[in-house]
Amino acid sequence: MKLNHLRTLVKEELSKKLNEEYQDKFKMIGMLITNIDIRPQKEIYSDIRSIPGVTVISSKEPLAFNQQDQSKFQAIMTVKVDGHPWIAKSGFDRSKMEEIRKEILKVKGVLSFNVNPDNITSI
């Protein structure tokens, strides 16, 4: 790898990190698995939207509805989070996204919500 190319990559990564320090909105994408035999998906999504900081969620099903196991229903979910509830108290950064992920796991009917750290970005 050429030295100039390496410098460019390092500058880009540093720039991303520095810009992220001042961000108050993040987005994460992950695989949500729910048991819709227990509760309808609409109710589960409603409870997720009520988590402080969560502003928008959207989902896409990787398989057709009739091909899915209702007790382990899969959806790729995008969650957008506004840091306003935390900014005045303790600050807001990428690490808060893990707390929100844990809150999503507490919602009745949610079996898992797996997020790759690379799928957490500032908006």
Side-chain angles (χ1 to χ4, degrees), residues 9-101:
L9 286 173
V10 169
K11 280 183 183 179
E12 287 173 5
E13 287 300 312
L14 281 172
S15 178
K16 284 181 194 175
K17 285 293 180 189
L18 289 172
N19 286 337
E20 195 173 278
E21 291 293 321
Y22 300 101
Q23 291 298 318
D24 64 346
K25 293 178 183 73
F26 282 86
K27 171 177 85 170
M28 67 178 154
I29 301 170
M31 178 62 77
L32 178 73
I33 299 176
T34 57
N35 184 341
I36 60 175
D37 286 336
I38 295 175
R39 302 178 70 195
Q41 193 80 335
K42 280 181 155 184
E43 289 181 18
I44 294 170
Y45 286 163
S46 180
D47 285 356
I48 292 171
R49 285 185 186 97
S50 71
I51 295 171
V54 173
T55 57
V56 177
I57 70 164
S58 60
S59 68
K60 186 168 62 170
E61 297 165 10
L63 299 170
F65 184 83
N66 61 350
Q67 295 177 331
Q68 294 217 39
D69 178 356
Q70 304 296 299
S71 65
K72 293 180 181 170
F73 193 82
Q74 297 179 12
I76 298 169
M77 185 170 72
T78 301
V79 180
K80 293 183 181 177
V81 178
D82 184 348
H84 184 71
W86 297 280
I87 289 173
K89 297 178 200 171
S90 59
F92 180 73
D93 60 15
R94 173 183 289 271
S95 65
K96 293 291 184 201
M97 299 304 280
E98 178 61 20
E99 290 179 28
I100 291 171
R101 189 186 79 78

